[in-house]
PDB file of all heavy atoms in Angstrom:
ATOM      1  N   ALA F  26      96.236  52.396 104.513  1.00 77.00           N
ATOM      2  CA  ALA F  26      96.626  51.683 105.729  1.00 77.00           C
ATOM      3  C   ALA F  26      98.112  51.374 105.734  1.00 77.00           C
ATOM      4  O   ALA F  26      98.799  51.542 106.748  1.00 77.00           O
ATOM      5  CB  ALA F  26      95.809  50.394 105.867  1.00 77.00           C
ATOM      6  N   THR F  27      98.620  50.925 104.604  1.00 82.00           N
ATOM      7  CA  THR F  27     100.051  50.634 104.461  1.00 82.00           C
ATOM      8  C   THR F  27     100.530  51.138 103.103  1.00 82.00           C
ATOM      9  O   THR F  27      99.737  51.267 102.148  1.00 82.00           O
ATOM     10  CB  THR F  27     100.325  49.120 104.557  1.00 82.00           C
ATOM     11  OG1 THR F  27      99.599  48.430 103.526  1.00 82.00           O
ATOM     12  CG2 THR F  27      99.912  48.580 105.919  1.00 82.00           C
ATOM     13  N   ILE F  28     101.826  51.375 103.011  1.00 83.00           N
ATOM     14  CA  ILE F  28     102.403  51.841 101.746  1.00 83.00           C
ATOM     15  C   ILE F  28     102.325  50.752 100.687  1.00 83.00           C
ATOM     16  O   ILE F  28     102.264  51.039  99.489  1.00 83.00           O
ATOM     17  CB  ILE F  28     103.861  52.288 101.964  1.00 83.00           C
ATOM     18  CG1 ILE F  28     103.897  53.511 102.888  1.00 83.00           C
ATOM     19  CG2 ILE F  28     104.554  52.613 100.649  1.00 83.00           C
ATOM     20  CD1 ILE F  28     105.283  54.049 103.149  1.00 83.00           C
ATOM     21  N   GLU F  29     102.309  49.486 101.126  1.00 82.00           N
ATOM     22  CA  GLU F  29     102.243  48.382 100.161  1.00 82.00           C
ATOM     23  C   GLU F  29     100.972  48.423  99.320  1.00 82.00           C
ATOM     24  O   GLU F  29     100.908  47.830  98.237  1.00 82.00           O
ATOM     25  CB  GLU F  29     102.329  47.035 100.900  1.00 82.00           C
ATOM     26  CG  GLU F  29     103.689  46.717 101.478  1.00 82.00           C
ATOM     27  CD  GLU F  29     103.944  47.392 102.805  1.00 82.00           C
ATOM     28  OE1 GLU F  29     103.074  48.202 103.237  1.00 82.00           O
ATOM     29  OE2 GLU F  29     104.992  47.131 103.427  1.00 82.00           O
ATOM     30  N   GLU F  30      99.943  49.162  99.796  1.00 83.00           N
ATOM     31  CA  GLU F  30      98.688  49.245  99.044  1.00 83.00           C
ATOM     32  C   GLU F  30      98.777  50.185  97.843  1.00 83.00           C
ATOM     33  O   GLU F  30      97.910  50.162  96.973  1.00 83.00           O
ATOM     34  CB  GLU F  30      97.565  49.724  99.975  1.00 83.00           C
ATOM     35  CG  GLU F  30      97.224  48.767 101.104  1.00 83.00           C
ATOM     36  CD  GLU F  30      96.113  49.297 101.970  1.00 83.00           C
ATOM     37  OE1 GLU F  30      95.611  50.404 101.671  1.00 83.00           O
ATOM     38  OE2 GLU F  30      95.719  48.621 102.940  1.00 83.00           O
ATOM     39  N   ILE F  31      99.812  51.031  97.789  1.00 88.00           N
ATOM     40  CA  ILE F  31      99.962  51.969  96.679  1.00 88.00           C
ATOM     41  C   ILE F  31     100.208  51.203  95.393  1.00 88.00           C
ATOM     42  O   ILE F  31     101.163  50.419  95.297  1.00 88.00           O
ATOM     43  CB  ILE F  31     101.117  52.950  96.944  1.00 88.00           C
ATOM     44  CG1 ILE F  31     100.952  53.632  98.311  1.00 88.00           C
ATOM     45  CG2 ILE F  31     101.202  53.981  95.840  1.00 88.00           C
ATOM     46  CD1 ILE F  31      99.699  54.436  98.449  1.00 88.00           C
ATOM     47  N   THR F  32      99.364  51.398  94.401  1.00 89.00           N
ATOM     48  CA  THR F  32      99.459  50.644  93.155  1.00 89.00           C
ATOM     49  C   THR F  32     100.539  51.184  92.239  1.00 89.00           C
ATOM     50  O   THR F  32     101.006  52.316  92.380  1.00 89.00           O
ATOM     51  CB  THR F  32      98.112  50.663  92.412  1.00 89.00           C
ATOM     52  OG1 THR F  32      97.805  52.025  92.049  1.00 89.00           O
ATOM     53  CG2 THR F  32      96.999  50.105  93.288  1.00 89.00           C
ATOM     54  N   HIS F  33     100.906  50.350  91.284  1.00 89.00           N
ATOM     55  CA  HIS F  33     101.918  50.731  90.293  1.00 89.00           C
ATOM     56  C   HIS F  33     101.442  51.919  89.460  1.00 89.00           C
ATOM     57  O   HIS F  33     102.213  52.827  89.151  1.00 89.00           O
ATOM     58  CB  HIS F  33     102.223  49.534  89.383  1.00 89.00           C
ATOM     59  CG  HIS F  33     103.217  49.818  88.319  1.00 89.00           C
ATOM     60  ND1 HIS F  33     104.554  50.060  88.569  1.00 89.00           N
ATOM     61  CD2 HIS F  33     103.067  49.921  86.969  1.00 89.00           C
ATOM     62  CE1 HIS F  33     105.194  50.283  87.436  1.00 89.00           C
ATOM     63  NE2 HIS F  33     104.321  50.204  86.447  1.00 89.00           N
ATOM     64  N   GLU F  34     100.154  51.936  89.095  1.00 92.00           N
ATOM     65  CA  GLU F  34      99.604  53.033  88.296  1.00 92.00           C
ATOM     66  C   GLU F  34      99.631  54.344  89.078  1.00 92.00           C
ATOM     67  O   GLU F  34      99.878  55.416  88.500  1.00 92.00           O
ATOM     68  CB  GLU F  34      98.162  52.713  87.880  1.00 92.00           C
ATOM     69  CG  GLU F  34      98.030  51.583  86.857  1.00 92.00           C
ATOM     70  CD  GLU F  34      98.275  50.213  87.457  1.00 92.00           C
ATOM     71  OE1 GLU F  34      98.229  50.104  88.716  1.00 92.00           O
ATOM     72  OE2 GLU F  34      98.497  49.263  86.691  1.00 92.00           O
ATOM     73  N   THR F  35      99.388  54.278  90.390  1.00 93.00           N
ATOM     74  CA  THR F  35      99.430  55.488  91.222  1.00 93.00           C
ATOM     75  C   THR F  35     100.841  56.063  91.269  1.00 93.00           C
ATOM     76  O   THR F  35     101.033  57.284  91.208  1.00 93.00           O
ATOM     77  CB  THR F  35      98.953  55.170  92.652  1.00 93.00           C
ATOM     78  OG1 THR F  35      97.630  54.634  92.596  1.00 93.00           O
ATOM     79  CG2 THR F  35      98.955  56.425  93.508  1.00 93.00           C
ATOM     80  N   ILE F  36     101.842  55.187  91.350  1.00 93.00           N
ATOM     81  CA  ILE F  36     103.236  55.637  91.368  1.00 93.00           C
ATOM     82  C   ILE F  36     103.613  56.272  90.033  1.00 93.00           C
ATOM     83  O   ILE F  36     104.270  57.317  89.985  1.00 93.00           O
ATOM     84  CB  ILE F  36     104.166  54.461  91.699  1.00 93.00           C
ATOM     85  CG1 ILE F  36     103.891  53.948  93.113  1.00 93.00           C
ATOM     86  CG2 ILE F  36     105.628  54.868  91.553  1.00 93.00           C
ATOM     87  CD1 ILE F  36     104.691  52.709  93.475  1.00 93.00           C
ATOM     88  N   GLN F  37     103.191  55.670  88.944  1.00 93.00           N
ATOM     89  CA  GLN F  37     103.490  56.223  87.618  1.00 93.00           C
ATOM     90  C   GLN F  37     102.869  57.606  87.446  1.00 93.00           C
ATOM     91  O   GLN F  37     103.512  58.520  86.913  1.00 93.00           O
ATOM     92  CB  GLN F  37     102.985  55.282  86.521  1.00 93.00           C
ATOM     93  CG  GLN F  37     103.867  54.070  86.284  1.00 93.00           C
ATOM     94  CD  GLN F  37     103.443  53.293  85.057  1.00 93.00           C
ATOM     95  OE1 GLN F  37     102.263  53.262  84.701  1.00 93.00           O
ATOM     96  NE2 GLN F  37     104.389  52.657  84.404  1.00 93.00           N
ATOM     97  N   SER F  38     101.638  57.765  87.897  1.00 94.00           N
ATOM     98  CA  SER F  38     100.975  59.068  87.798  1.00 94.00           C
ATOM     99  C   SER F  38     101.704  60.112  88.627  1.00 94.00           C
ATOM    100  O   SER F  38     101.848  61.274  88.208  1.00 94.00           O
ATOM    101  CB  SER F  38      99.520  58.956  88.255  1.00 94.00           C
ATOM    102  OG  SER F  38      98.804  58.040  87.460  1.00 94.00           O
ATOM    103  N   ALA F  39     102.197  59.705  89.799  1.00 94.00           N
ATOM    104  CA  ALA F  39     102.932  60.634  90.653  1.00 94.00           C
ATOM    105  C   ALA F  39     104.246  61.059  89.997  1.00 94.00           C
ATOM    106  O   ALA F  39     104.616  62.238  90.030  1.00 94.00           O
ATOM    107  CB  ALA F  39     103.201  59.983  92.006  1.00 94.00           C
ATOM    108  N   VAL F  40     104.942  60.104  89.389  1.00 94.00           N
ATOM    109  CA  VAL F  40     106.204  60.427  88.705  1.00 94.00           C
ATOM    110  C   VAL F  40     105.959  61.410  87.560  1.00 94.00           C
ATOM    111  O   VAL F  40     106.721  62.367  87.369  1.00 94.00           O
ATOM    112  CB  VAL F  40     106.881  59.145  88.182  1.00 94.00           C
ATOM    113  CG1 VAL F  40     108.094  59.492  87.332  1.00 94.00           C
ATOM    114  CG2 VAL F  40     107.301  58.250  89.336  1.00 94.00           C
ATOM    115  N   LYS F  41     104.884  61.215  86.816  1.00 94.00           N
ATOM    116  CA  LYS F  41     104.589  62.120  85.712  1.00 94.00           C
ATOM    117  C   LYS F  41     104.285  63.527  86.212  1.00 94.00           C
ATOM    118  O   LYS F  41     104.737  64.515  85.625  1.00 94.00           O
ATOM    119  CB  LYS F  41     103.410  61.589  84.887  1.00 94.00           C
ATOM    120  CG  LYS F  41     103.106  62.450  83.668  1.00 94.00           C
ATOM    121  CD  LYS F  41     102.088  61.801  82.759  1.00 94.00           C
ATOM    122  CE  LYS F  41     101.872  62.655  81.512  1.00 94.00           C
ATOM    123  NZ  LYS F  41     100.931  62.022  80.559  1.00 94.00           N
ATOM    124  N   ARG F  42     103.528  63.651  87.305  1.00 93.00           N
ATOM    125  CA  ARG F  42     103.237  64.971  87.866  1.00 93.00           C
ATOM    126  C   ARG F  42     104.518  65.644  88.359  1.00 93.00           C
ATOM    127  O   ARG F  42     104.694  66.864  88.206  1.00 93.00           O
ATOM    128  CB  ARG F  42     102.221  64.851  89.003  1.00 93.00           C
ATOM    129  CG  ARG F  42     100.809  64.543  88.558  1.00 93.00           C
ATOM    130  CD  ARG F  42      99.824  64.728  89.704  1.00 93.00           C
ATOM    131  NE  ARG F  42     100.100  63.799  90.795  1.00 93.00           N
ATOM    132  CZ  ARG F  42      99.556  62.577  90.899  1.00 93.00           C
ATOM    133  NH1 ARG F  42      98.721  62.142  89.957  1.00 93.00           N
ATOM    134  NH2 ARG F  42      99.839  61.800  91.931  1.00 93.00           N
ATOM    135  N   ILE F  43     105.409  64.867  88.935  1.00 94.00           N
ATOM    136  CA  ILE F  43     106.683  65.413  89.413  1.00 94.00           C
ATOM    137  C   ILE F  43     107.516  65.924  88.251  1.00 94.00           C
ATOM    138  O   ILE F  43     108.147  66.985  88.317  1.00 94.00           O
ATOM    139  CB  ILE F  43     107.450  64.344  90.218  1.00 94.00           C
ATOM    140  CG1 ILE F  43     106.709  64.040  91.522  1.00 94.00           C
ATOM    141  CG2 ILE F  43     108.880  64.788  90.509  1.00 94.00           C
ATOM    142  CD1 ILE F  43     107.258  62.846  92.277  1.00 94.00           C
ATOM    143  N   VAL F  44     107.536  65.173  87.155  1.00 92.00           N
ATOM    144  CA  VAL F  44     108.298  65.583  85.967  1.00 92.00           C
ATOM    145  C   VAL F  44     107.715  66.849  85.368  1.00 92.00           C
ATOM    146  O   VAL F  44     108.432  67.789  85.012  1.00 92.00           O
ATOM    147  CB  VAL F  44     108.323  64.445  84.926  1.00 92.00           C
ATOM    148  CG1 VAL F  44     108.919  64.936  83.613  1.00 92.00           C
ATOM    149  CG2 VAL F  44     109.117  63.257  85.447  1.00 92.00           C
TER     150      VAL F  44
END
Side-chain angles (χ1 to χ4, degrees):
T27 59
I28 295 181
E29 289 81 355
E30 295 180 1
I31 307 299
T32 63
H33 179 69
E34 291 74 17
T35 302
I36 296 175
Q37 283 189 329
S38 300
V40 173
K41 183 171 183 177
R42 287 192 297 270
I43 292 171
V44 171

